[in-house]
Amino acid sequence: MSEKTVVVALGHKALGTTLPEQKTATRETAKAIADLVEEGANIVISHSNGPQVGMIHTAMNEFGKAHPDYTFAPMSVCSAMSQGYIGYDLQNAIRAELLSRGIYKPVATILTQVVIDPYDEAFGEPEKIIGRVLNSEEAESEEEKGNFVTETAKGEYRRILAAPKPQKIIELETIRTLANAGQVVIAAGGGGIPVMEQGIDLHGASAIIEKDLASELLAEELDADTLLILTSVEKVSLNKDTDNETLLDTVSVDDANKYIAENQFAAGSMLPKIEAAVSFASKGSGHRTIITDIAHARDGYREKTGTIIK
């Protein structure tokens, strides 16, 4: 692919939480994406789906409780719904922003399945909280079904899911074809729909794939030159929230690994972003990862700000 291919990983802030928030947030995000298009980059977008998939999961399962004739929605189906719902708002916002700048470039959302290993050790230690608050009876019922729950407050419980590592992107060639044709592509939303291969069949898995790791795999497989992770901070910091806090500019892979070993980054927050950055930068000559916020996306791409790992 073009040396200017950029995989942009959007965090929660880029999408909002509620339906009205998402409409507003995607319009602002579209401006950052259009800025990158104006820089001459081919753009492939991945995104988080935490609040959205939780909302869908809760709504579908509450509906199932109220209507016994309907089955409960499995996690893979909820993930697919979130990809369509988020992609709908995001692609329309980007299309409108590009047209307002006189740029005629198609935007497409690809329903993306990502293969996971059924023997991934993450299934032994699920950690991703999902869905509504449960009482003790509901929590016990979930455990009887083979699901995991955790107590989040006294007498309050929520389901938890495993976060296995992504192994393979099923729709990769479709994404590659559209990107090579100069289209803006939205793919692997929420880390992708988790599936397991059984012969020629794909079966949905009750899991959540870490979005940043799926974005790294996508960037690696597309041979992109840049993985741009847009999050809530302009730069990554060491010793965060202390008097010794230090902002990071350009960081080598070796130094990034050293900071990981020192537990400088919060698990489930900045840590997977740094791990993805290191993995991508390590797997190709000229690969770079930039971590910054949406407001500084263009300047980050130009290496005027953000934390650059290469």
Side-chain angles (χ1 to χ4, degrees):
M1 297 188 73
S2 165
E3 63 179 4
K4 293 183 178 179
T5 295
V6 180
V7 171
V8 182
L10 301 175
H12 299 326
K13 197 169 184 180
L15 302 172
T17 301
T18 65
L19 274 69
E21 281 181 8
Q22 182 168 297
K23 286 284 189 185
T24 301
T26 51
R27 283 194 291 267
E28 290 303 308
T29 298
K31 295 176 183 177
I33 299 301
D35 286 345
L36 296 172
V37 171
E38 288 182 334
E39 290 291 311
N42 275 347
I43 304 297
V44 178
I45 301 165
S46 63
H47 59 78
S48 66
N49 71 341
Q52 291 84 355
V53 78
M55 175 182 65
I56 292 167
H57 181 267
T58 299
M60 294 300 293
N61 284 282
E62 287 300 302
F63 182 83
K65 284 174 60 180
H67 301 274
D69 291 341
Y70 289 83
T71 58
F72 288 77
M75 197 63 217
S76 56
V77 171
C78 295
S79 179
M81 289 179 177
S82 75
Q83 283 190 7
Y85 156 51
I86 294 169
Y88 165 65
D89 278 343
L90 194 54
Q91 74 179 38
N92 283 343
I94 294 169
R95 174 184 177 275
E97 182 64 29
L98 291 174
L99 288 173
S100 75
R101 301 187 190 196
I103 301 171
Y104 301 91
K105 185 181 284 286
V107 186
T109 299
I110 303 300
L111 203 66
T112 310
Q113 302 172 95
V114 175
V115 175
I116 60 169
D117 181 356
Y119 301 105
D120 192 300
E121 62 184 17
F123 284 105
E125 297 181 1
E127 58 182 26
K128 294 288 186 180
I129 295 175
I130 189 73
R132 66 176 179 83
V133 174
L134 308 170
N135 60 35
S136 58
E137 289 93 359
E138 290 171 321
E140 187 175 341
S141 175
E142 289 293 335
E143 289 183 323
E144 288 174 355
K145 297 175 190 174
N147 296 322
F148 291 90
V149 299
T150 186
E151 189 170 19
T152 54
K154 187 173 178 58
E156 295 182 353
Y157 304 84
R158 293 178 69 185
R159 274 193 65 187
I160 51 174
L161 295 175
K165 289 183 172 60
Q167 303 294 319
K168 182 172 70 174
I169 298 167
I170 295 295
E171 288 75 21
L172 179 65
E173 292 310 315
T174 301
I175 298 164
R176 192 196 309 277
T177 299
L178 292 174
N180 277 339
Q183 300 196 25
V184 176
V185 186
I186 303 163
I193 303 164
V195 295
M196 294 179 287
E197 291 182 305
Q198 295 182 0
I200 62 172
D201 295 323
L202 298 172
H203 294 273
S206 184
I208 292 176
I209 300 171
E210 182 62 62
K211 175 262 302 177
D212 296 305
L213 301 184
S215 300
E216 188 282 325
L217 179 61
L218 182 61
E220 181 186 335
E221 293 294 334
L222 292 175
D223 195 25
D225 76 318
T226 301
L227 173 59
L228 178 59
I229 299 176
L230 298 181
T231 185
S232 58
V233 295
E234 183 179 348
K235 293 184 179 184
V236 180
S237 61
L238 301 179
N239 306 309
K240 187 171 173 58
D241 299 326
T242 72
D243 293 337
N244 298 320
E245 185 169 4
T246 303
L247 298 177
L248 295 175
D249 297 313
T250 300
V251 181
S252 69
V253 167
D254 287 344
D255 282 343
N257 278 324
K258 182 182 73 172
Y259 299 144
I260 290 172
E262 293 172 353
N263 295 317
Q264 284 283 352
F265 311 114
S269 178
M270 189 55 72
L271 179 59
K273 294 172 177 56
I274 300 297
E275 290 176 334
V278 167
S279 180
F280 182 66
S282 301
K283 291 178 180 173
S285 176
H287 282 190
R288 63 174 185 167
T289 303
I290 301 161
I291 302 174
T292 191
D293 57 11
I294 291 175
H296 296 91
R298 177 179 278 185
D299 283 344
Y301 179 71
R302 294 174 172 175
E303 296 193 7
K304 292 183 177 180
T305 189
T307 296
I308 301 106
I309 298 176
K310 58 183 180 179

